[in-house]
């Protein structure tokens, strides 16, 4: 694991590079796209595990923090969806340069999946785009996260009078909210990639709807259900992590071109 | 302020981020601050608190490191088997050694939340280079004042009685745990059980640390209400310890254990930076907030 900062020196992004550990490295790298806020905290260990398994399978892997999240530059209030999608593009370029690979696959979890899908529309160097328990409707996601905290659009107790509210311990600004509310995977253009893969831990209604809509729109996609824990939005007193081994292993198999058991 | 990702460690390859004041480096005479993991939360800290606090401290002229103990976050697993608490002390010493060799720093302030606070206290007891501690939700011991407030509040709270009776009835009937208490095998860390050492042991070490001149800032949240419920409790629980003017205690009864309220995070950061500056006279710098990290791979073999 090699941690480093990349991107502009004024707004650096923190990444951890996992070099390929197989005897014959693969020609495709993998960029991992985290979810947001407490889901990011909860998924960090799972991403580390996924990165290590992919690295063992011969993939060069980069997991990184979007601007204004994790260790990356920027205060929490400075993040926004457009910037995060651009960050994924920067991470792809960084990994291609670092590992000397011509193509990259994206794996995104929850909001990270929606951001990866958006980033993939603009690229021409992507192999697979794998959406893991994706947030399909950003508007619904925002509604749920705000309802969970009992916050209205303005909250004097937790906000600063500028429309920023605290959700899960992180600031949600007007700009972020508008950007997130614009996410709609049912309508997003098909990623410009060899294959779109949707991996879900539970056959929820909205996941099935996404599967059907992709088929209806004749988007070439593979939909895989791997029963495992998917309660990414659960928060407890100590900040526990979710490590769903089966689905992590399934994702490695998907990317490695193996049959998913 | 500038940040750099670093790799260091003797018994395990550890990963951290060093935050420094922009321009002139911090004086080696001034202690560096090291943040310790809270449970399995990686080095950004609960709700990214460690990142925000590190940047605020660097803006006041301090060098700060946040890092992951072996096996946590971005740090690799230790090569040889060792109990976590023993290994975590070695990791923290490695972090100090790294800052000494790269920045010349000889004195350190350790900061941590929950198990991070516990670890900071243990390391301070063993290492004279530690001159300050910032402990969030540290070990606390109930006093008469605690019980009076606790039961007084419950006696006035009808729902507490109702819940108490429900629990009793469930125990008598041998019913199952209520929903939410069962967790899947895929969840890591929720089963964490914190062990508080005997009060006398902590009192003894407190005395030793205070005699050594160690300064301490304690911040307690309402999330630790089962152990702590008013600001004066800390001193009252250690009446045999002479605190002199070396200890400051703050209580945020409305904060949860992860300090997830934005206003609570602001309070913690302000309290910490003010306390550090007051004790180690760092001159406030009029530095613009945006960071300038070096585009730098940590470790020669990175590319």
């Amino acid at each position: 694991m090699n941690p480093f900062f990349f991107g502009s020196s004024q707004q650096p992004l923190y990444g951890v590079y996992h070099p390929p550990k197989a005897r014959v490295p693969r020609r495709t790298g993998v960029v991992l796209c985290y979810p947001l806020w407490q889901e990011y905290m909860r998924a960090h260990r799972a991403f580390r595990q996924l990165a290590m398994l992919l690295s063992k399978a011969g993939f060069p892997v980069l997991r990184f923090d979007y601007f204004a999240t994790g260790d990356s530059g920027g205060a929490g209030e400075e993040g926004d969806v457009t910037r995060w999608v651009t960050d994924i593009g920067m991470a792809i370029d960084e990994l291609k340069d670092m590992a000397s690979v011509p193509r990259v696959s994206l794996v995104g979890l929850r909001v990270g999946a929606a951001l990866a899908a958006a980033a993939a529309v603009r690229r021409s160097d992507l192999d697979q785009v794998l959406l893991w328990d994706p947030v399909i409707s950003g508007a619904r996601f925002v509604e749920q996260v705000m309802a969970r905290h009992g916050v209205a659009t303005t909250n004097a107790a937790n906000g600063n009078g500028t429309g920023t509210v605290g959700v899960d311990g992180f600031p949600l600004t007007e700009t972020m909210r508008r950007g997130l509310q614009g996410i709609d995977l049912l309508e997003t253009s098909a990623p410009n990639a060899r294959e779109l893969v949707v991996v879900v831990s539970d056959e929820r209604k909205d996941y099935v709807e996404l599967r059907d809509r992709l088929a209806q729109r004749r988007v070439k996609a593979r939909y895989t259900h791997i029963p495992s824990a998917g309660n990414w939005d659960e928060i407890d007193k100590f900040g526990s992590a979710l490590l769903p081994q089966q689905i992590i292993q399934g994702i490695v198999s998907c990317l490695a071109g193996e049959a998913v058991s | 302020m500038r940040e750099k990702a670093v790799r260091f460690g003797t018994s395990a390859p550890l990963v951290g981020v060093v935050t420094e004041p922009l321009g002139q480096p911090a004086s080696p005479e001034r202690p560096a601050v090291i943040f310790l993991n809270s449970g399995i939360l990686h080095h950004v800290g609960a709700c990214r608190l460690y990142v925000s606090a590190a940047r605020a401290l660097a803006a006041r002229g301090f060098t700060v490191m946040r890092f992951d103990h072996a096996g946590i976050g971005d740090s690799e697993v230790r090569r040889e088997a060792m109990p976590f608490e023993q290994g975590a002390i070695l990791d923290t010493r490695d972090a100090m050694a790294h800052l000494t060799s790269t920045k010349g720093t000889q004195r350190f302030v350790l900061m941590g939340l929950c198990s991070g606070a516990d670890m900071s206290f243990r390391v301070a007891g063993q290492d004279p280079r530690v001159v300050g501690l910032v402990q969030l939700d540290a070990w606390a011991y109930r006093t008469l004042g605690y019980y009076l407030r606790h039961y007084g509040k419950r006696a006035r709270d009808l729902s507490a009685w109702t819940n108490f009776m429900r629990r009793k009835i469930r125990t008598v009937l041998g019913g199952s745990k209520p929903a939410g208490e069962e967790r899947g095998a895929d969840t890591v860390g929720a089963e964490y059980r914190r062990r508080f050492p005997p009060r006398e042991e902590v009192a003894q070490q407190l005395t030793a640390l205070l005699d050594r001149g160690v300064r301490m800032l304690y911040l307690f949240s309402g999330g630790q209400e089962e152990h702590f419920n008013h600001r004066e409790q800390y001193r009252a629980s250690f009446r045999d310890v002479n605190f002199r003017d070396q200890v400051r205690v703050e209580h945020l009864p409305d904060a949860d254990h992860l300090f997830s309220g934005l206003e609570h995070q602001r309070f913690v950061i302000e309290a910490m930076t003010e306390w550090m500056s007051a004790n180690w006279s760092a001159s406030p710098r009029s530095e613009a907030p945006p960071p300038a990290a070096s585009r730098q791979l940590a470790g020669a073999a990175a590319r």
Side-chain angles (χ1 to χ4, degrees), chain B residues 107-121:
Chain B
R107 302 187 301 162
F108 301 91
V109 172
L110 304 182
M111 185 273 192
L113 161 67
C114 189
S115 62
D118 306 347
M119 188 51 61
S120 73
F121 193 76

Side-chain angles (χ1 to χ4, degrees), chain B residues 64-79:
Chain B
V64 187
M65 177 195 262
R66 52 185 189 272
F67 79 100
D68 290 316
H69 290 300
I72 293 178
D74 294 335
S75 289
E76 290 176 32
V77 176
R78 193 176 308 286
R79 296 182 191 105

